Structure formats: C-alpha cells, structure tokens
Amino acid sequence: AAPGVALDGEEVEGEVTWVERSPNQLRLQVQADRAALLVLSENWFPAWKATVGGVEVPVLRANHTFRAVAVPSGSSEVIFRFESSLLRWSLLLSLLCTLLLAVPLLLDLRGRMQRRRA
C-alpha cells in the first residue's frame, strides 16, 4: 500500500526511543527531521493497529514481512496495539467451556458432601 506520506528519498536524521514494550502493545517516541517510514523488524499481521500522535494510521507491510507506519517530521508518539477479534472470541469460548465443565463437577461435589453428612 502507499505509505500516505510523500517521501523524498533523502536520508532521514532522527531517533527512536522505546517507551513501553509488552506482548500486545509497543510505545515508541520518534524524532525525525522529515516525514519518514518507521519500520519495525517484527512480523506484520492484520491484527496490529497503530496510532501516531493519537491518530489512527494504517500499519503497512515493509520488505514483505515487517511492520511500518508513516511518521511526520518532528516528534511523535507511536503506539502499536495487537487487537485480534479472533483472540477475544477464543478467550470467551474457552471461559464458557470452562464454566460448562465446572458447574456439573461442583454440583456433583456438593451432592457427595450432602450425602456424607446424612
């Protein structure tokens, strides 16, 4: 996809500082002297979302497998978040199945305890 920013091909002077790094969220502080692409050498996946300066931006594919976002000149906070609806539904289904298995076991345990008392 087109990066959504005009890149002039000149070398970019800047700095990237990791602020937060967790399995589902990355937060970076980016300083660039001109508009550029911030490329992470981590695999692209459609569930990754990003904001630059608080504005949602598309996460692009770079070099066939990496993640990239367009950043403007100046200072920007870039946040990558992993938001998978499949993961949320899988977690919900797992919790539901656990409850469906736990309820009969708890009822059986309760019945055994009542029989012992009697």
Side-chain angles (χ1 to χ4, degrees):
V5 62
L7 302 173
D8 58 15
E10 296 292 322
E11 185 174 324
V12 176
E13 293 289 328
E15 186 176 306
V16 177
T17 305
W18 287 96
V19 177
E20 176 187 352
R21 185 178 179 102
S22 67
N24 296 327
Q25 182 167 299
L26 308 171
R27 191 161 39 115
L28 306 101
Q29 191 63 40
V30 178
Q31 179 71 38
D33 68 343
R34 62 174 44 95
L37 285 180
L38 171 66
V39 178
L40 294 181
S41 61
E42 296 186 358
N43 286 332
W44 178 89
F45 189 75
W48 281 102
K49 309 294 181 209
T51 59
V52 175
V55 178
E56 184 116 9
V57 296
V59 177
L60 306 170
R61 247 184 177 161
N63 299 329
H64 301 287
T65 189
F66 299 143
R67 279 183 267 156
V69 293
V71 293
S73 64
S75 181
S76 302
E77 181 182 57
V78 178
I79 299 175
F80 287 91
R81 295 174 324 283
F82 189 79
E83 296 180 358
S84 172
S85 59
L86 178 61
L87 183 62
R88 279 194 296 270
W89 281 106
S90 299
L91 179 60
L92 182 63
L93 184 60
S94 296
L95 289 172
L96 181 62
C97 289
T98 301
L99 284 174
L100 288 175
L101 292 172
V103 168
L105 290 174
L106 291 173
L107 290 175
D108 182 55
L109 181 62
R110 181 178 164 208
R112 287 180 191 210
M113 290 177 76
Q114 286 177 348
R115 282 192 297 270
R116 276 191 188 161
R117 283 188 220 147

